[in-house]
Structure formats: structure tokens, C-alpha cells
């Protein structure tokens, strides 16, 4: 495609900013910008201000590193949540996914990425030390490793496991197995193999 | 042992595949020969059959390169008889869209699910890499056979290679920054040890099974005139992986890559105690290769339960008449199923087929079509 010059520098600037976003190319960026241009002035102001405010005023919970409006997030400041159970996740999207299940009443710890030397991310770039500190304070009974099942995710889980192994706590990992509603013959061998080795007692699944 | 079940391709249809714009061939359930001059498209027919089994070409890794020059898509259809049941397999590639593989008009969602459904072994001049090429070619051979039946082996192998990449990158990073973080490195080393040991055991088991079968074949084809050996070589034979890894730590730091592991495995081919690559004649190397492939055939047959289809591309070239006869004797045995030969020399093939009384079809490819005959 031939890069065409826009008739206005301002337009060019806005399109460039939009196309920096993930999944947005030059064409989509132009469409979005032209759409905004057609909107009322107040609406566009509100849009811009929301972004500026977001970046300037958002905080990271000092307990779990989740995104929050206050010093401590809603989950960490909730008296009903069990502070002795911590689920380790990669980012806030994972918290939202687990919260949506309405089956978890412990707290979280967001490490903010996974170990991958190929991408230049090492353990020092992640919030792992603060997790170790939390555990060493003695108030934690269980750490659930809720990271992706990719090779990088498992490497990170293993790293954290080794860091926490000397403390007298339980370290668990999300169960891997056949997805609910799936036919067995469509499950891949690796998952099914794990499911059969780590099978669970029927009574525990019966009441859910 | 249980008798292997029957598998054969009864009809092959092509549309715009390589040099064939349109083609329908009714095939013999035993021996099929494609003869003709260079560049006429004998091997392309074998490649089409290979596509139906492995959803890819054994000649050209890029699917769109196999489309006839002037068109946008190719379609390969095969009608199989598989353990008495009729099965229709179709592979379609269109420029700019996803490759589609269908079984009885139903799409496969994952191509990997199809592999192994119509087992196949190919011997082609390209395979000489196995003898003359680097160790990577030989590991590919081992991995290719095992992972056809053991999906967790393949999964472990992919993981192993990814972790290896990460570990090497980390070693390079240490060197660049001058900061050494043993804790992070050991996370990768530990995982390599766990995965690598399992891969090693699977390879060892497979090769132990392969060796005696291979020896038998070589002795038969060569008339037992020369002594050959096949050995598995792995650093893990000397010590366990964990120990190797910790001993090599300093070395790895200097080299900035992982110097021990199953990624260094190799197969050692010898003739009278010397390396095949150096002392073997072209004919001997070919015999070696064929014996290896026949052993692979046996292994697949045993595990899959179906008699694989055998593609022999230009195998008689460089072999003496005794060895050619021995090979023909071999494959005419009832243990083998459907076989496809290619040859430039129709006389030679006719002469061979006259000696063995097996149902056969010869397709003489000429510039304007096919002349079909049988002996």
C-alpha cells in the first residue's frame, strides 16, 4: 500500500497516535479519528479527559498491585475476603476472569507479566519480591498459582514455587482438565492425559 | 502377531496441482509405477499422495508453490479403501486462504488430527541427507516417527526447544550485562532436565526397537556381504542429565549456549566400523537408507495396525542388479501393502515386474497424457 499524506498535520498526528494502539492499523485509525471529528465538542473533550485522568490518577494497590482508585483496591480492603489465600495472576484481566466465576473469596497478587528472556523480561521486572515478603510475614496459608499454561507461564510458576518452597504454606495450581461441555473425543491428548492422572472425587463435582 | 489391516488408494484426482491441470487415475491396490522422462511429473504424483497423508508436500514446504502456475487453487482428492471401508480424503489450497483438509466431505478443525489416518512412508533421493547431512536431519527422522503416534512426545519436544531458546538467550544476556542470576537460570535448566530425560527415554526405546529390524533388512538387501551398524548417541548415556547440566554450567556461561542435552543427540551410521558418510559408496548409502526406511515402515505398521502406503521415488538408481532384485523380492511379500514406484527406465521396471507375479499398473507419462499398461 502506498502511504498517502493527509491534507492536515493535525489529522496526521491524531491518526498516528491511534495506530500505536494494539490491533489498530492506519486505516482503522483514520476511521476512528474521522468518527471523533464528527462528534460534539463536549463528547470529544470527555473522551480525551477520561484518558488523561486515567493515566494521571490511577493507582496500583499497594497490597496486590491491582489497578485501583485508592491506595488499596476494593478486593484487598474488603473485610469479607480471606487474606490468608492469595491467587497469583499475570494481570488485571485475569483477576476479572476469576472474579466473574464468583467462586473465589481470597485475595490476589498481580505480578505484571511472565518470565521470558526472549522478550527481555526477567524475575526482577515482576512483582515477585513483594509476594515473598507477604508470605514471609506468616499470615498466608495458601498461594494459588493462576498463571497461563504456556511454557513461559509454567516457567514463572516454577520460579515462584521455588521462591516460596521454604515457607510452611500450601502452594497449589489451577486444575488442568477437560472443559465443561466438551465431548471427550474432541479433547486433546495432553489435556485428557492430565485429567485422567489428576482425576477428582465425584462428590466434589456433584454439588457445584 | 496380529495381521496388519489393509489400506490402499484406489483413485487419485488432481486439479491444478503442480504440472497437472486435471487428472484422474485408477490405481492398482498393489504395485503402481510411474515412468517417464525427467521433469514430466512422476514425483509430483507421489507428492500428491503424500499430501493426502500428511497435509503437506515432501518437496516444497510452501503450499502455494504447489499450485499450477496460472491458477489460484489446487485440489487433491483420494479415494481410499481403509480396512474395508471407503474413505474420501481431500486437500485444497487456495491463494490467500486457509488450507482445507476434508474426510468424507467433513472439514478437519486441526490438521494434526488427520496425520496417521492414512500412514505412509516415502523414500526419495532427498533422504540422502539422513546419511550425509548434519545430526539435525537424523533427529528430525527420529522425532517424525515417534511424534506421529505420541502426541505428548511432540508436546515435550516443542516445550524443550522453547525453553532451550530462552535459556540460551539468558546466557547471552548474562554475558552482555555482566550480571549472573543463577536462580533464574536454574529454573530453565531444571525444566530441560525433566523434559529432556523423558524425550531421551522415548528415543532410546524407539531406536532399540528399530536396530534389529534395520540390520535384518540391510543383510537381506546386500546379501549379507558387508557389516553395518546403527547406534544411538546421546550425552545422556554417559551420565544423568541433571549431573551433565550442573557440570557444564561454567562451560555454558563461556559459550553462551546450552552445550549438553538431547538437542545434541545423533544416530551413528557405520560400515565395517567406519563412518558410512566417509567410506560408503553411493549404492551402499542408498541401501542403508532403504533399510532404515523399511525398518520405519515395520514400526509404523506395528503401532498403527494398518499397512502404510510406500512411495519409492527413483530407488533403483545407483543400485546393482542384485540389490534391485532383493528389494523387489522384499516388497512383493504379502507383508507390504500398496506401493508406488517412479523410474525413468521403463524397460528396467518391466523386466522387474515380469519376475514377480503381482497385480500391477504401469503409467507411462508422456507430454500429452498417460499410457496405461500392466504386466
Amino acid at each position: 500500500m502506498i502511504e498517502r499524506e493527509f491534507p492536515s498535520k493535525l489529522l496526521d498526528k491524531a491518526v498516528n497516535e491511534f495506530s500505536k494502539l494494539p490491533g489498530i492499523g492506519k486505516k482503522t485509525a483514520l476511521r476512528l479519528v474521522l468518527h471523533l471529528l464528527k462528534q460534539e465538542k463536549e463528547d470529544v473533550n470527555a473522551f480525551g479527559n477520561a484518558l488523561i485522568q486515567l493515566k494521571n490518577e490511577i493507582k496500583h494497590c499497594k497490597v496486590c498491585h491491582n489497578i485501583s482508585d485508592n491506595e488499596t483496591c476494593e478486593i484487598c480492603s474488603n473485610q469479607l475476603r480471606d487474606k490468608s489465600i492469595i491467587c497469583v495472576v499475570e494481570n488485571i484481566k485475569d483477576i476479572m476472569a476469576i472474579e466473574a466465576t464468583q467462586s473465589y473469596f481470597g485475595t490476589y497478587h498481580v505480578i505484571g507479566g511472565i518470565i521470558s528472556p526472549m522478550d527481555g523480561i526477567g524475575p526482577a521486572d515482576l512483582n515477585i519480591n513483594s509476594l515473598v515478603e507477604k508470605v514471609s510475614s506468616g499470615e498466608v496459608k495458601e498461594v494459588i498459582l493462576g498463571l497461563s499454561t504456556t511454557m513461559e507461564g509454567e516457567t514463572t510458576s516454577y520460579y515462584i514455587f521455588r521462591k516460596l518452597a521454604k515457607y510452611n504454606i500450601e502452594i497449589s495450581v489451577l486444575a488442568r482438565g477437560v472443559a465443561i461441555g466438551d465431548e471427550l473425543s474432541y479433547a486433546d491428548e495432553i489435556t485428557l492425559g492430565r485429567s485422567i492422572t489428576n482425576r477428582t472425587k465425584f462428590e466434589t463435582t456433584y454439588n457445584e | 502377531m496380529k495381521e496388519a489391516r489393509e489400506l490402499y488408494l484406489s483413485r487419485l484426482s488432481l486439479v491444478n496441482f503442480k504440472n497437472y491441470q486435471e487428472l484422474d487415475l485408477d490405481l492398482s491396490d498393489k504395485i503402481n509405477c510411474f515412468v517417464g522422462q525427467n521433469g514430466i511429473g512422476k514425483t509430483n504424483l507421489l507428492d500428491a499422495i503424500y499430501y493426502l497423508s500428511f497435509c503437506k508436500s515432501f518437496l516444497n514446504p510452501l503450499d502455494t508453490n504447489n499450485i499450477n502456475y496460472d491458477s489460484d487453487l489446487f485440489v487433491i482428492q483420494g479415494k481410499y479403501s481403509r480396512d474395508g471401508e471407503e474413505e474420501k480424503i481431500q486437500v485444497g489450497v487456495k491463494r490467500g486462504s486457509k488450507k482445507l483438509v476434508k474426510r468424507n466431505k467433513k472439514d478437519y478443525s486441526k490438521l494434526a488430527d488427520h496425520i496417521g489416518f492414512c500412514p505412509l512412508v516415502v523414500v526419495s533421493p532427498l533422504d540422502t541427507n539422513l546419511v550425509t547431512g548434519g545430526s539435525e536431519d537424523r533427529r528430525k527422522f527420529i522425532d517424525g516417527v515417534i511424534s506421529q503416534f505420541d502426541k505428548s512426545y511432540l508436546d515435550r519436544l516443542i516445550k524443550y526447544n522453547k525453553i532451550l531458546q530462552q535459556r540460551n538467550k539468558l546466557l547471552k544476556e548474562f554475558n552482555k550485562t555482566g550480571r549472573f542470576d543463577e536462580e533464574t537460570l536454574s529454573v530453565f535448566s531444571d525444566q530441560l532436565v525433566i523434559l529432556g530425560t523423558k524425550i531421551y527415554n522415548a528415543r532410546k526405546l524407539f531406536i532399540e526397537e528399530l536396530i534389529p529390524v534395520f540390520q535384518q533388512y540391510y543383510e537381506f538387501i546386500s546379501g549379507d556381504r558387508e557389516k553395518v551398524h546403527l547406534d544411538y548417541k546421546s550425552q545422556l548415556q554417559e551420565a544423568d542429565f541433571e549431573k551433565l547440566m550442573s557440570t557444564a554450567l561454567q562451560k555454558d556461561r563461556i559459550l553462551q549456549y546450552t552445550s549438553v542435552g538431547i538437542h545434541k543427540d545423533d544416530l551413528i551410521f557405520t560400515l565395517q566400523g567406519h563412518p558410512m558418510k566417509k567410506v560408503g559408496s553411493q549404492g551402499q548409502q542408498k541401501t542403508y537408507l532403504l533399510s532404515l526406511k523399511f525398518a520405519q515402515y515395520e514400526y509404523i505398521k506395528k503401532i498403527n495396525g494398518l499397512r502404510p502406503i510406500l512411495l519409492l521415488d527413483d530407488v533403483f538408481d545407483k543400485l546393482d542388479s542384485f540389490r534391485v532384485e532383493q528389494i523387489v523380492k522384499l516388497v512383493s511379500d504379502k507383508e507390504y501393502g500398496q506401493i508406488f514406484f517412479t523410474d525413468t527406465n521403463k524397460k528396467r521396471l518391466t523386466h522387474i515386474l515380469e519376475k514377480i507375479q503381482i497385480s500391477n499398473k504401469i503409467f507411462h507419462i508422456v507430454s500429452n497424457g498417460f499410457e496405461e499398461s500392466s504386466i
Side-chain angles (χ1 to χ4, degrees):
Chain A
M1 202 177 72
I2 304 161
E3 291 275 331
R4 262 165 299 188
E5 289 240 342
F6 295 116
S8 144
K9 281 258 160 57
L10 291 170
L11 183 64
D12 189 57
K13 204 172 147 193
V15 169
N16 266 329
E17 289 304 321
F18 266 95
S19 59
K20 283 182 193 162
L21 299 173
I24 308 267
K26 273 267 153 94
K27 274 189 175 167
T28 314
L30 180 62
R31 196 164 52 104
L32 294 172
V33 169
L34 291 178
H35 174 81
L36 282 173
L37 207 52
K38 270 192 281 180
Q39 304 302 304
E40 297 292 331
K41 209 173 181 176
E42 294 78 48
D43 290 339
V44 181
N45 275 338
F47 179 77
N49 285 333
L51 294 180
I52 294 166
Q53 231 183 337
L54 171 77
K55 190 61 197 171
N56 286 342
E57 294 176 21
I58 201 111
K59 295 188 180 71
H60 289 272
C61 171
K62 62 177 198 256
V63 185
C64 71
H65 308 285
N66 188 9
I67 288 168
S68 162
D69 290 343
N70 306 309
E71 291 285 304
T72 43
C73 71
E74 282 185 18
I75 296 172
C76 290
S77 47
N78 185 342
Q79 294 301 319
L80 299 171
R81 305 290 294 225
D82 187 348
K83 307 285 189 307
S84 67
I85 302 177
I86 298 177
C87 181
V88 177
V89 293
E90 190 186 331
N91 57 38
I92 182 174
K93 280 195 297 186
D94 302 326
I95 293 192
M96 289 163 68
I98 296 176
E99 283 299 288
T101 65
Q102 299 193 358
S103 309
Y104 181 62
F105 305 102
T107 53
Y108 295 94
H109 187 92
V110 183
I111 56 169
I114 42 179
I115 300 174
S116 173
M118 299 289 282
D119 302 308
I121 302 173
D125 303 310
L126 307 174
N127 302 319
I128 293 177
N129 284 339
S130 56
L131 175 71
V132 179
E133 276 167 34
K134 237 191 261 183
V135 171
S136 66
S137 74
E139 281 155 33
V140 180
K141 277 189 282 192
E142 181 178 0
V143 167
I144 305 168
L145 298 171
L147 302 172
S148 312
T149 56
T150 57
M151 188 281 288
E152 287 83 4
E154 288 188 348
T155 300
T156 313
S157 292
Y158 186 60
Y159 182 86
I160 296 173
F161 169 75
R162 296 215 337 196
K163 279 274 188 188
L164 300 179
K166 63 177 175 191
Y167 299 103
N168 184 25
I169 56 164
E170 194 152 320
I171 301 172
S172 57
V173 66
L174 297 186
R176 284 103 162 87
V178 181
I180 290 172
D182 261 9
E183 283 184 48
L184 275 199
S185 50
Y186 287 104
D188 68 284
E189 289 97 330
I190 314 289
T191 310
L192 196 54
R194 279 246 194 156
S195 304
I196 204 103
T197 342
N198 303 332
R199 58 193 180 277
T200 46
K201 286 221 183 304
F202 183 72
E203 298 97 278
T204 58
T205 62
Y206 188 67
N207 289 325
E208 278 173 13
Chain B
M1 206 182 91
K2 208 172 63 185
E3 178 102 354
R5 291 167 295 150
E6 196 176 50
L7 168 76
Y8 65 87
L9 179 64
S10 59
R11 189 179 173 84
L12 177 71
S13 312
L14 304 179
V15 177
N16 292 328
F17 181 74
K18 297 197 177 174
N19 63 326
Y20 297 99
Q21 287 181 340
E22 230 185 315
L23 176 78
D24 280 295
L25 285 184
D26 285 309
L27 303 161
S28 158
D29 63 345
K30 278 300 287 183
I31 293 182
N32 295 278
C33 306
F34 301 126
V35 291
Q37 291 169 329
N38 293 141
I40 201 90
K42 304 178 294 290
T43 307
N44 288 349
L45 289 174
L46 299 189
D47 202 22
I49 299 168
Y50 187 89
Y51 246 113
L52 291 170
S53 285
F54 291 101
C55 312
K56 64 175 185 189
S57 161
F58 70 89
L59 300 168
N60 203 321
L62 199 65
D63 286 318
T64 47
N65 280 353
N66 297 314
I67 302 175
N68 191 277
Y69 306 122
D70 304 323
S71 46
D72 284 326
L73 77 159
F74 77 71
V75 179
I76 307 169
Q77 281 175 309
K79 198 165 95 185
Y80 287 86
S81 170
R82 189 181 181 276
D83 201 13
E85 301 277 327
E86 188 183 285
E87 300 278 356
K88 283 184 183 146
I89 308 295
Q90 179 180 325
V91 179
V93 170
K94 194 176 170 187
R95 286 186 212 279
S97 46
K98 226 181 104 197
K99 172 161 57 181
L100 283 179
V101 180
K102 295 180 187 193
R103 180 183 148 204
N104 298 328
K105 297 192 173 151
K106 207 170 157 262
D107 281 3
Y108 277 101
S109 54
K110 267 197 302 185
L111 297 185
D113 292 341
H114 177 63
I115 294 166
F117 185 74
C118 300
L120 178 145
V121 172
V122 61
V123 186
S124 103
L126 294 173
D127 293 323
T128 43
N129 277 349
L130 215 54
V131 179
T132 57
S135 60
E136 197 184 343
D137 292 305
R138 289 180 285 279
R139 283 193 299 275
K140 238 189 217 162
F141 166 76
I142 306 172
D143 295 337
V145 184
I146 305 178
S147 51
Q148 266 188 58
F149 306 102
D150 190 347
K151 289 280 160 12
S152 43
Y153 177 85
L154 183 63
D155 185 62
R156 279 184 204 120
L157 194 67
I158 293 171
K159 264 195 192 153
Y160 181 93
N161 286 327
K162 269 196 201 163
I163 295 170
L164 184 68
Q165 257 187 330
Q166 296 274 25
R167 188 177 189 269
N168 289 344
K169 177 80 193 183
L170 202 60
L171 286 164
K172 286 197 180 66
E173 208 60 39
F174 290 159
N175 195 60
K176 222 163 66 186
T177 59
R179 206 162 38 89
F180 178 64
D181 175 4
E182 188 166 4
E183 200 170 17
T184 309
L185 190 73
S186 68
V187 168
F188 290 102
S189 316
D190 286 3
Q191 291 188 87
L192 284 184
V193 167
I194 295 167
L195 292 166
T197 308
K198 283 186 177 154
I199 294 169
Y200 166 72
N201 286 330
R203 283 181 179 171
K204 202 172 108 193
L205 218 67
F206 163 66
I207 295 160
E208 270 167 10
E209 211 166 315
L210 199 71
I211 290 174
V213 186
F214 160 81
Q215 293 278 5
Q216 265 175 25
Y217 276 112
Y218 197 97
E219 276 163 27
F220 184 82
I221 299 173
S222 67
D224 204 9
R225 274 178 299 191
E226 51 222 26
K227 280 273 160 272
V228 292
H229 274 287
L230 166 66
D231 281 305
Y232 177 41
K233 195 185 115 199
S234 175
Q235 294 164 324
L236 273 67
Q237 286 158 336
E238 294 147 28
D240 73 50
F241 198 0
E242 198 174 352
K243 203 170 158 208
L244 287 172
M245 193 66 115
S246 58
T247 325
L249 181 64
Q250 293 310 321
K251 196 174 156 199
D252 286 1
R253 281 183 68 182
I254 295 164
L255 292 170
Q256 300 173 51
Y257 64 81
T258 309
S259 62
V260 291
I262 51 118
H263 56 289
K264 299 277 175 188
D265 284 5
D266 201 355
L267 288 173
I268 306 297
F269 300 161
T270 52
L271 173 68
Q272 325 274 35
H274 301 287
M276 192 61 171
K277 197 170 163 176
K278 286 189 186 144
V279 302
S281 72
Q282 292 190 59
Q284 285 170 321
Q285 292 185 356
K286 192 144 198 173
T287 312
Y288 201 97
L289 189 70
L290 272 162
S291 313
L292 206 56
K293 290 282 186 165
F294 282 127
Q296 178 193 353
Y297 185 97
E298 290 274 314
Y299 182 82
I300 294 180
K301 190 175 74 178
K302 193 180 128 201
I303 290 198
N304 192 300
L306 284 162
R307 269 186 217 126
I309 290 172
L310 189 56
L311 307 181
L312 300 173
D313 189 12
D314 207 12
V315 283
F316 301 129
D317 182 44
K318 300 200 179 79
L319 292 179
D320 58 39
S321 56
F322 175 80
R323 291 184 191 213
V324 169
E325 237 173 77
Q326 290 296 88
I327 289 170
V328 173
K329 258 192 226 161
L330 250 181
V331 298
S332 58
D333 190 279
K334 68 174 175 21
E335 284 303 308
Y336 284 86
Q338 193 180 27
I339 300 162
F340 293 84
F341 288 106
T342 68
D343 208 324
T344 46
N345 190 336
K346 192 180 175 186
K347 245 191 186 160
R348 174 163 64 187
L349 264 180
T350 321
H351 180 71
I352 290 167
L353 290 173
E354 273 166 356
K355 285 194 178 173
I356 52 168
Q357 303 281 317
I358 290 183
S359 89
N360 62 69
K361 275 189 177 180
I362 300 176
F363 300 92
H364 190 175
I365 313 172
V366 284
S367 55
N368 55 0
F370 280 75
E371 285 165 13
E372 210 179 302
S373 60
S374 65
I375 293 154

